[in-house]
Amino acid sequence: MEQLIVSGLRKSYAGREVVAGVSFTLARGECYGLLGPNGAGKTTTLRCCLGLTAPDSGVIAMAGEPIPARAREARMKVGVVPQFDNLDPDFTVAENLRVFGRYFGISDAATRSRIPDLLDFAGLAGKENARLQTLSGGMKRRLTLARALVNDPDLLLLDEPTTGLDPQARHLIWERLKRLLQQGKTILLTTHFMDEAERLCHRLAILDQGRIVAEGAPRQLIATHIEPQVIEVYGEDAPAWAGSAEQGYARRIEVSGETAFCYVEAEQVAPLLAHLAERPELRTLHRPANLEDVFLKLTGRELRD
Amino acid sequence: MNKFFSLPRFSLRAIAVWRRNFLVWRKLAIPSVLGNLADPMIYLFGLGYGLGSLLPEVAGVSYIVFLASGTVCASTMNAASFEALYSAFSRMHVQKTWEAILNAPVTLDDVLAGEWLWAAAKATLSGLAILLVIAALGFVASPLALWAIPVIFLTGLCFAALGLIVTALAPSYDFFMYYFTLFVTPMILLSGVFFPVEQLPATIQTIASLLPLAHAVRLVRPLLLGELPVDAGMHLAALLVTALAAYWLALVLTRRRLLK
């Protein structure tokens, strides 16, 4: 059974269409990513799924319930990690979980018996009585994840779960999310970290200006939308070189500041590197194409904020 | 945007929101009660004995006894207002506590109902604390004063709802200064807390008689003096209608703010 079905979703604010016809489905046990620049409509889509915003049009079914008609019943079976920390600063770690359990109608005794497991999962074992101010950013994020699991949900909605965390903290969150997927949970994840999406998501959609511009498995998106190899050329003269470079060296060259990104087929790599070797003032980096290249190709390099 | 105007829907989930606030309060209960008591008591004794010694009887009783019943009403109003303004705004806008709760199977109607009842409960506690102190000092005439307790709760509901309207419109904490300086402070002076409304010019008396705090004073003062209030039904109805109408408006404005 599908855990989430979104079909033809549209939402405007003050005449600007923030979500302009978005459709996707999440099968049970799947991790699905929504990628997009700031303002692409990711958070609005999540708000519509939770029934916190009424869409202008479109159909949503979450955890088997029609939204927004039965949003409360659907939220019984869903866990949410919001983009910004909203743990209760007046409470200890355990109180945060206990009070949140009450919002689901879970008795204090039932939550209390789950707290050791939840904290163990979140790498916060023994922190029951810690005050919130004593937790690091990564610990707070993990506590938010534990809080989202307090009702043992089938579906998790994660809105940029690792934004602002250091690499160690991010890797720990990723490891925990993988464990949840192994347990059979379904995850909808928004992010603008490409490595996060590539690591975690079975499938993902790239959102731009409220529309899905590409959808598929990460490897498949790279294969479909972009040349397989990238040679980055750095240096003051790189833009000038890119302007004069002969056609045939690369399929596409994009210039951003003092860097030229050459998107090439496998057989073009050796000739281009040989050509660049004659220009020692230009530094080069050869790497396989990744999701970020797809993302930048589809959504452009201009800032969006 | 018709959906924002639908009538409030109540569910038992509001209790979980109320209990969340109660748990926070319990951690600081003693300083909170003492803090709420200190300010009105300083005014009551300062003005009651200081100014009172210069005055003959006011409305048939000593000035401090007259002022005591006004103080019960005014501090109920203050406690409800502070909770529904600053504390609720912190939870809505700064800490994003409401946002977290709304991700659980709790609706905004439940959140606001929980906040409303919580602010009214805290205000009742504040009014009761003063009632106890003045009863201990012998400023209360008879057990009729017990009937003041439901009036205090209703006064709390009324000002909690009015405060939630302002919170729904507030861009920041600074906004609340307008509410206090333009509404709360003038109302305290016009509602018969410090002096009988009859001292005011006739036109101002008419305006004053419409203020919610004036209705509360008209009910609480006679009850504490051992008399039955005149027009009790009308004053109760005025407080109740103001409370319900203000709560509905607060809910409409909060839905418009958070569910758009």
Side-chain angles (χ1 to χ4, degrees), chain A residues 4-67:
Chain A
L4 183 62
I5 302 169
V6 175
S7 174
L9 183 68
R10 289 179 180 274
K11 178 73 186 176
S12 298
Y13 288 116
R16 201 174 77 87
E17 203 163 40
V18 178
V19 180
V22 164
S23 304
F24 59 90
T25 56
L26 269 76
R28 183 181 289 275
E30 183 177 33
C31 181
Y32 189 91
L34 286 178
L35 273 69
N38 290 331
K42 305 186 294 286
T43 300
T44 304
T45 302
L46 288 191
R47 282 179 61 83
C48 288
C49 291
L50 287 164
L52 298 175
T53 291
D56 298 336
S57 66
V59 179
I60 301 172
M62 182 171 73
E65 308 282 359
I67 306 291

Side-chain angles (χ1 to χ4, degrees), chain B residues 112-142:
Chain B
L112 213 68
E115 290 284 353
W116 184 37
L117 294 173
W118 167 250
K122 204 173 159 187
T124 304
L125 196 76
S126 188
L128 271 183
I130 292 172
L131 189 57
L132 274 174
V133 173
I134 64 174
L137 292 170
F139 298 156
V140 167
S142 79

Side-chain angles (χ1 to χ4, degrees), chain A residues 48-259:
Chain A
C48 288
C49 291
L50 287 164
L52 298 175
T53 291
D56 298 336
S57 66
V59 179
I60 301 172
M62 182 171 73
E65 308 282 359
I67 306 291
R70 285 176 56 83
R72 186 200 288 266
E73 288 78 5
R75 292 204 298 266
M76 279 297 284
K77 297 176 261 182
V78 173
V80 180
V81 173
Q83 189 170 343
F84 300 105
D85 170 43
N86 57 22
L87 292 160
D88 234 313
D90 299 303
F91 292 150
T92 63
V93 166
E95 282 168 339
N96 260 287
L97 298 175
R98 212 167 71 227
V99 169
F100 208 73
R102 289 177 187 166
Y103 301 139
F104 289 83
I106 303 171
S107 73
D108 285 4
T111 307
R112 226 179 244 123
S113 68
R114 276 175 52 75
I115 284 177
D117 282 348
L118 286 169
L119 292 186
D120 199 37
F121 177 83
L124 294 169
K127 291 276 182 195
E128 277 86 349
N129 297 318
R131 296 195 55 77
L132 218 66
Q133 294 88 320
T134 64
L135 302 188
S136 69
M139 289 162 113
K140 282 184 185 164
R141 215 63 196 142
R142 267 140 49 208
L143 179 57
T144 307
L145 180 60
R147 189 182 69 174
L149 296 171
V150 85
N151 57 324
D152 193 19
D154 303 323
L155 171 66
L156 281 158
L157 305 186
L158 313 177
D159 197 0
E160 300 187 14
T162 64
T163 296
L165 298 186
D166 62 29
Q168 287 84 352
R170 292 174 69 198
H171 276 268
L172 188 57
I173 296 256
W174 290 340
E175 192 268 319
R176 291 304 193 265
L177 295 181
K178 281 182 185 155
R179 232 197 266 179
L180 289 170
L181 289 168
Q182 280 160 15
Q183 290 168 18
K185 307 238 185 256
T186 310
I187 294 180
L188 176 63
L189 173 88
T190 81
T191 183
H192 36 225
F193 293 123
M194 300 303 135
D195 52 342
E196 180 164 294
E198 238 176 306
R199 259 167 233 260
L200 290 172
C201 296
H202 301 114
R203 288 189 308 139
L204 56 89
I206 295 178
L207 228 65
D208 194 26
Q209 292 169 352
R211 286 186 180 76
I212 292 182
V213 293
E215 188 191 40
R219 291 278 115 211
Q220 179 203 337
L221 283 173
I222 295 166
T224 317
H225 289 279
I226 205 143
E227 300 74 10
Q229 301 289 322
V230 183
I231 294 170
E232 297 181 13
V233 182
Y234 311 97
E236 261 178 66
D237 299 332
W241 168 82
S244 65
E246 281 175 47
Q247 302 286 321
Y249 275 125
R251 187 125 310 177
R252 282 186 310 120
I253 299 179
E254 282 181 25
V255 178
S256 175
E258 293 191 348
T259 306

Side-chain angles (χ1 to χ4, degrees), chain B residues 50-111:
Chain B
L51 193 60
S53 67
L54 303 173
L55 296 170
E57 290 195 332
V58 177
V61 291
S62 73
Y63 183 59
I64 195 160
V65 170
F66 177 88
L67 186 59
S69 49
T71 303
V72 169
C73 298
S75 49
T76 303
M77 173 186 71
N78 272 331
S81 302
F82 270 98
E83 189 66 23
L85 295 168
Y86 291 94
S87 307
F89 187 77
S90 299
R91 296 189 280 268
M92 173 183 76
H93 189 73
V94 184
Q95 294 174 199
K96 307 274 181 201
T97 310
W98 295 6
E99 211 175 273
I101 299 173
L102 291 174
N103 286 332
V106 179
T107 63
L108 187 59
D109 287 35
D110 299 329
V111 172

